[in-house]
Amino acid sequence: MTEQEIELLDYLRVIWKRKALIIWGTFLVAAASLAVSVSMPNVYEVSRTVKIGQLLDTLEQGKGLEQGKGKEIESRETVIDRLKDHRMLGEAVKELQLELGPKEVGDLISIDGRVNPHIRYKVQSADRQMATRIADWLAESVIKAHKPIFDRWFQVAKEYEADLVARINSLEAENRKMKGILERTAEGQSIDTAVVVVLHANLADRERNLTDLRKELNRARFARVGYSNTAVVATDGRLRQPVRTRVGVNVALGGTLGLMVSIFLAFFLEYVEKAKGKESGVRSEESEVRKQE
């Protein structure tokens, strides 16, 4: 037999020798986990997923726009800081008339730390209705803070579209006048070729400008439809089933922990027993030596 096989057999002998300790230790810790799980108060969880509103990065009169290039009303980090701000939570305490302080309300809130376009947060409380009210209030407060920013942008977008429409109407009217001049010039007996060429070239430039303005107007209208204010895009309220009643999971974890601790204690006791045996052996040898002397 190899040295590793001998060591493995020694381990198994220790476990078999201390099997009562290991079994009872595992059972007692699992039973304690069961008792704690049953005695714990029910905690309910409510979550909300908020999509931060989007604005076009460039949308000003005279500057045009780049379709598809947008920016958030506020950065994700700023919104998360807002949700954790004790001043904001203090407002929640006042408006919702909670019997908690801002710090206590903050302890009920957990925010998903994963980086993604949306923000998902959870509110856990033994009071199911309070958890829902806090979750809704947080979402509404962020939406309310972002709405004036979005409304201003929306107004700029409408003014930009109105400016494009006015420029298109003006250019169309000028082009109609120029076409009328060309028609009258063509009907005349004496035609100035140079003037006609210049008029045609000017009219062609204006028609190209008119086409570009119409495309820009279509892009502006399409882009405005694709952008919106901050909104709640997903709700999850587990009001019927509390989240901390997973007794089976708690007992399994407790049993595993009890098993590990019991095995460690078994080897520790075996080590102590062997140390004492060696010490008693040394003492007996010393006593025999003294007797022989």
Side-chain angles (χ1 to χ4, degrees), residues 20-57:
L21 170 66
I22 295 173
I23 293 173
W24 278 104
T26 303
F27 173 76
L28 290 175
V29 177
S33 301
L34 175 62
V36 171
S37 299
V38 172
S39 63
M40 286 176 62
N42 291 333
V43 175
Y44 298 87
E45 179 183 290
V46 178
S47 70
R48 297 288 182 268
T49 302
V50 177
K51 179 183 178 182
I52 302 175
Q54 296 283 319
L55 309 176
L56 278 177
D57 196 15

Short mmCIF file of all heavy atoms in Angstrom, two decimals, residues 20-57:
data_model
loop_
_atom_site.label_atom_id
_atom_site.label_comp_id
_atom_site.label_asym_id
_atom_site.label_seq_id
_atom_site.Cartn_x
_atom_site.Cartn_y
_atom_site.Cartn_z
N ALA A 20 -20.46 8.89 15.79
CA ALA A 20 -21.56 9.39 16.62
C ALA A 20 -21.47 10.90 16.78
O ALA A 20 -22.49 11.62 16.70
CB ALA A 20 -21.51 8.70 17.99
N LEU A 21 -20.25 11.39 16.99
CA LEU A 21 -20.06 12.84 17.12
C LEU A 21 -20.45 13.56 15.83
O LEU A 21 -21.13 14.60 15.86
CB LEU A 21 -18.59 13.14 17.47
CG LEU A 21 -18.16 14.61 17.41
CD1 LEU A 21 -18.89 15.40 18.48
CD2 LEU A 21 -16.65 14.72 17.60
N ILE A 22 -20.02 12.99 14.70
CA ILE A 22 -20.31 13.63 13.41
C ILE A 22 -21.82 13.63 13.14
O ILE A 22 -22.39 14.64 12.70
CB ILE A 22 -19.54 12.91 12.29
CG1 ILE A 22 -18.03 13.09 12.50
CG2 ILE A 22 -19.95 13.44 10.92
CD1 ILE A 22 -17.18 12.28 11.55
N ILE A 23 -22.47 12.51 13.40
CA ILE A 23 -23.92 12.42 13.12
C ILE A 23 -24.70 13.37 14.02
O ILE A 23 -25.56 14.13 13.56
CB ILE A 23 -24.40 10.97 13.31
CG1 ILE A 23 -23.79 10.07 12.23
CG2 ILE A 23 -25.93 10.91 13.26
CD1 ILE A 23 -24.06 8.60 12.43
N TRP A 24 -24.40 13.33 15.31
CA TRP A 24 -25.13 14.19 16.24
C TRP A 24 -24.82 15.67 16.01
O TRP A 24 -25.70 16.53 16.12
CB TRP A 24 -24.82 13.79 17.68
CG TRP A 24 -25.64 12.63 18.14
CD1 TRP A 24 -25.23 11.35 18.29
CD2 TRP A 24 -27.02 12.67 18.49
NE1 TRP A 24 -26.27 10.56 18.71
CE2 TRP A 24 -27.40 11.34 18.84
CE3 TRP A 24 -27.99 13.66 18.52
CZ2 TRP A 24 -28.68 10.99 19.23
CZ3 TRP A 24 -29.29 13.32 18.92
CH2 TRP A 24 -29.61 12.01 19.26
N GLY A 25 -23.57 15.98 15.69
CA GLY A 25 -23.21 17.38 15.42
C GLY A 25 -23.95 17.92 14.21
O GLY A 25 -24.49 19.04 14.23
N THR A 26 -23.99 17.10 13.13
CA THR A 26 -24.72 17.52 11.93
C THR A 26 -26.20 17.70 12.23
O THR A 26 -26.84 18.68 11.80
CB THR A 26 -24.53 16.48 10.81
OG1 THR A 26 -23.14 16.30 10.56
CG2 THR A 26 -25.22 16.93 9.53
N PHE A 27 -26.77 16.76 12.96
CA PHE A 27 -28.21 16.83 13.29
C PHE A 27 -28.52 18.06 14.13
O PHE A 27 -29.52 18.75 13.88
CB PHE A 27 -28.60 15.55 14.03
CG PHE A 27 -30.01 15.60 14.55
CD1 PHE A 27 -31.09 15.42 13.71
CD2 PHE A 27 -30.26 15.85 15.90
CE1 PHE A 27 -32.39 15.47 14.19
CE2 PHE A 27 -31.55 15.90 16.39
CZ PHE A 27 -32.62 15.71 15.52
N LEU A 28 -27.69 18.35 15.13
CA LEU A 28 -27.97 19.47 16.02
C LEU A 28 -27.90 20.81 15.28
O LEU A 28 -28.75 21.68 15.48
CB LEU A 28 -27.00 19.46 17.20
CG LEU A 28 -27.18 18.32 18.21
CD1 LEU A 28 -26.09 18.35 19.27
CD2 LEU A 28 -28.56 18.41 18.88
N VAL A 29 -26.89 20.97 14.41
CA VAL A 29 -26.79 22.24 13.66
C VAL A 29 -27.95 22.37 12.68
O VAL A 29 -28.52 23.46 12.51
CB VAL A 29 -25.44 22.32 12.93
CG1 VAL A 29 -25.37 23.59 12.09
CG2 VAL A 29 -24.29 22.30 13.94
N ALA A 30 -28.33 21.27 12.03
CA ALA A 30 -29.47 21.32 11.11
C ALA A 30 -30.75 21.65 11.86
O ALA A 30 -31.60 22.43 11.39
CB ALA A 30 -29.60 19.99 10.37
N ALA A 31 -30.92 21.06 13.05
CA ALA A 31 -32.11 21.35 13.86
C ALA A 31 -32.13 22.81 14.30
O ALA A 31 -33.18 23.46 14.31
CB ALA A 31 -32.14 20.43 15.08
N ALA A 32 -30.95 23.32 14.65
CA ALA A 32 -30.88 24.74 15.03
C ALA A 32 -31.23 25.64 13.85
O ALA A 32 -31.93 26.66 14.00
CB ALA A 32 -29.47 25.07 15.54
N SER A 33 -30.77 25.29 12.64
CA SER A 33 -31.12 26.05 11.44
C SER A 33 -32.62 26.03 11.20
O SER A 33 -33.22 27.05 10.82
CB SER A 33 -30.37 25.50 10.22
OG SER A 33 -28.98 25.55 10.41
N LEU A 34 -33.22 24.86 11.42
CA LEU A 34 -34.67 24.75 11.25
C LEU A 34 -35.41 25.65 12.24
O LEU A 34 -36.35 26.36 11.87
CB LEU A 34 -35.09 23.29 11.43
CG LEU A 34 -36.60 23.01 11.42
CD1 LEU A 34 -37.20 23.40 10.08
CD2 LEU A 34 -36.88 21.54 11.73
N ALA A 35 -34.95 25.63 13.50
CA ALA A 35 -35.62 26.44 14.53
C ALA A 35 -35.48 27.92 14.21
O ALA A 35 -36.44 28.70 14.34
CB ALA A 35 -35.02 26.12 15.89
N VAL A 36 -34.29 28.34 13.79
CA VAL A 36 -34.08 29.76 13.46
C VAL A 36 -34.91 30.15 12.26
O VAL A 36 -35.52 31.23 12.22
CB VAL A 36 -32.58 30.02 13.22
CG1 VAL A 36 -32.37 31.42 12.67
CG2 VAL A 36 -31.79 29.83 14.50
N SER A 37 -34.96 29.29 11.22
CA SER A 37 -35.72 29.61 10.01
C SER A 37 -37.20 29.77 10.31
O SER A 37 -37.86 30.67 9.78
CB SER A 37 -35.51 28.52 8.95
OG SER A 37 -34.15 28.42 8.59
N VAL A 38 -37.73 28.89 11.15
CA VAL A 38 -39.15 28.94 11.49
C VAL A 38 -39.47 30.18 12.33
O VAL A 38 -40.54 30.80 12.19
CB VAL A 38 -39.57 27.66 12.23
CG1 VAL A 38 -40.99 27.77 12.76
CG2 VAL A 38 -39.46 26.46 11.31
N SER A 39 -38.53 30.57 13.19
CA SER A 39 -38.78 31.70 14.08
C SER A 39 -38.55 33.05 13.41
O SER A 39 -38.98 34.08 13.93
CB SER A 39 -37.88 31.60 15.32
OG SER A 39 -36.51 31.68 14.96
N MET A 40 -37.87 33.05 12.27
CA MET A 40 -37.60 34.33 11.59
C MET A 40 -38.90 34.92 11.05
O MET A 40 -39.75 34.20 10.54
CB MET A 40 -36.62 34.13 10.44
CG MET A 40 -35.18 33.91 10.86
SD MET A 40 -34.11 33.57 9.45
CE MET A 40 -34.29 35.12 8.53
N PRO A 41 -39.05 36.26 11.11
CA PRO A 41 -40.25 36.88 10.55
C PRO A 41 -40.23 36.82 9.03
O PRO A 41 -39.17 36.80 8.41
CB PRO A 41 -40.15 38.34 11.04
CG PRO A 41 -38.69 38.56 11.27
CD PRO A 41 -38.14 37.24 11.74
N ASN A 42 -41.41 36.77 8.43
CA ASN A 42 -41.52 36.77 6.98
C ASN A 42 -41.04 38.10 6.41
O ASN A 42 -41.36 39.17 6.93
CB ASN A 42 -42.97 36.53 6.55
CG ASN A 42 -43.42 35.12 6.87
OD1 ASN A 42 -42.61 34.21 6.92
ND2 ASN A 42 -44.72 34.94 7.08
N VAL A 43 -40.27 38.02 5.36
CA VAL A 43 -39.78 39.22 4.69
C VAL A 43 -40.24 39.16 3.24
O VAL A 43 -40.02 38.17 2.55
CB VAL A 43 -38.24 39.32 4.76
CG1 VAL A 43 -37.75 40.51 3.95
CG2 VAL A 43 -37.79 39.45 6.21
N TYR A 44 -40.86 40.24 2.78
CA TYR A 44 -41.40 40.31 1.43
C TYR A 44 -40.51 41.19 0.57
O TYR A 44 -39.94 42.17 1.04
CB TYR A 44 -42.83 40.84 1.45
CG TYR A 44 -43.77 39.96 2.22
CD1 TYR A 44 -43.94 40.12 3.60
CD2 TYR A 44 -44.46 38.93 1.59
CE1 TYR A 44 -44.79 39.29 4.32
CE2 TYR A 44 -45.32 38.10 2.31
CZ TYR A 44 -45.47 38.29 3.66
OH TYR A 44 -46.30 37.47 4.37
N GLU A 45 -40.41 40.84 -0.70
CA GLU A 45 -39.52 41.53 -1.63
C GLU A 45 -40.31 42.13 -2.79
O GLU A 45 -41.13 41.45 -3.40
CB GLU A 45 -38.46 40.57 -2.15
CG GLU A 45 -37.50 41.19 -3.15
CD GLU A 45 -36.52 40.16 -3.68
OE1 GLU A 45 -35.65 39.72 -2.89
OE2 GLU A 45 -36.64 39.77 -4.85
N VAL A 46 -40.04 43.39 -3.09
CA VAL A 46 -40.65 44.07 -4.23
C VAL A 46 -39.53 44.69 -5.04
O VAL A 46 -38.65 45.36 -4.49
CB VAL A 46 -41.64 45.16 -3.78
CG1 VAL A 46 -42.22 45.88 -4.99
CG2 VAL A 46 -42.75 44.55 -2.94
N SER A 47 -39.52 44.46 -6.34
CA SER A 47 -38.46 45.01 -7.19
C SER A 47 -39.06 45.85 -8.31
O SER A 47 -40.19 45.64 -8.73
CB SER A 47 -37.60 43.89 -7.78
OG SER A 47 -38.33 43.15 -8.74
N ARG A 48 -38.26 46.80 -8.77
CA ARG A 48 -38.63 47.64 -9.90
C ARG A 48 -37.42 47.76 -10.82
O ARG A 48 -36.29 47.87 -10.34
CB ARG A 48 -39.06 49.04 -9.44
CG ARG A 48 -40.32 49.06 -8.57
CD ARG A 48 -41.56 48.77 -9.38
NE ARG A 48 -42.76 48.84 -8.56
CZ ARG A 48 -43.31 47.81 -7.93
NH1 ARG A 48 -42.74 46.61 -8.03
NH2 ARG A 48 -44.41 47.95 -7.23
N THR A 49 -37.66 47.75 -12.12
CA THR A 49 -36.61 47.98 -13.11
C THR A 49 -36.92 49.27 -13.84
O THR A 49 -37.98 49.41 -14.44
CB THR A 49 -36.52 46.82 -14.11
OG1 THR A 49 -36.27 45.60 -13.39
CG2 THR A 49 -35.39 47.05 -15.09
N VAL A 50 -36.00 50.22 -13.75
CA VAL A 50 -36.20 51.56 -14.31
C VAL A 50 -35.29 51.75 -15.52
O VAL A 50 -34.09 51.48 -15.45
CB VAL A 50 -35.90 52.64 -13.25
CG1 VAL A 50 -36.04 54.04 -13.85
CG2 VAL A 50 -36.85 52.48 -12.06
N LYS A 51 -35.88 52.20 -16.61
CA LYS A 51 -35.11 52.55 -17.81
C LYS A 51 -34.89 54.05 -17.83
O LYS A 51 -35.85 54.82 -17.82
CB LYS A 51 -35.86 52.11 -19.07
CG LYS A 51 -35.13 52.47 -20.36
CD LYS A 51 -35.94 52.08 -21.58
CE LYS A 51 -35.22 52.50 -22.86
NZ LYS A 51 -36.03 52.17 -24.06
N ILE A 52 -33.64 54.47 -17.85
CA ILE A 52 -33.33 55.90 -17.85
C ILE A 52 -33.70 56.48 -19.21
O ILE A 52 -33.40 55.90 -20.26
CB ILE A 52 -31.84 56.12 -17.56
CG1 ILE A 52 -31.47 55.50 -16.21
CG2 ILE A 52 -31.51 57.60 -17.56
CD1 ILE A 52 -30.00 55.57 -15.90
N GLY A 53 -34.35 57.65 -19.19
CA GLY A 53 -34.78 58.29 -20.42
C GLY A 53 -33.61 58.65 -21.32
O GLY A 53 -32.49 58.90 -20.87
N GLN A 54 -33.90 58.68 -22.63
CA GLN A 54 -32.87 58.96 -23.63
C GLN A 54 -33.19 60.27 -24.35
O GLN A 54 -34.33 60.56 -24.66
CB GLN A 54 -32.81 57.82 -24.64
CG GLN A 54 -32.37 56.49 -24.07
CD GLN A 54 -30.89 56.43 -23.84
OE1 GLN A 54 -30.10 56.90 -24.67
NE2 GLN A 54 -30.48 55.84 -22.72
N LEU A 55 -32.13 61.03 -24.64
CA LEU A 55 -32.24 62.26 -25.40
C LEU A 55 -31.26 62.21 -26.56
O LEU A 55 -30.22 61.57 -26.47
CB LEU A 55 -31.91 63.48 -24.53
CG LEU A 55 -32.64 63.62 -23.20
CD1 LEU A 55 -32.10 64.84 -22.46
CD2 LEU A 55 -34.13 63.76 -23.42
N LEU A 56 -31.58 62.92 -27.66
CA LEU A 56 -30.62 63.04 -28.74
C LEU A 56 -29.47 63.93 -28.30
O LEU A 56 -29.67 64.97 -27.67
CB LEU A 56 -31.29 63.64 -29.98
CG LEU A 56 -32.07 62.66 -30.86
CD1 LEU A 56 -32.74 63.40 -31.99
CD2 LEU A 56 -31.16 61.59 -31.40
N ASP A 57 -28.26 63.51 -28.63
CA ASP A 57 -27.08 64.25 -28.20
C ASP A 57 -26.99 65.61 -28.87
O ASP A 57 -26.50 66.57 -28.31
CB ASP A 57 -25.83 63.43 -28.49
CG ASP A 57 -24.62 63.95 -27.74
OD1 ASP A 57 -24.82 64.73 -26.80
OD2 ASP A 57 -23.50 63.57 -28.09
#
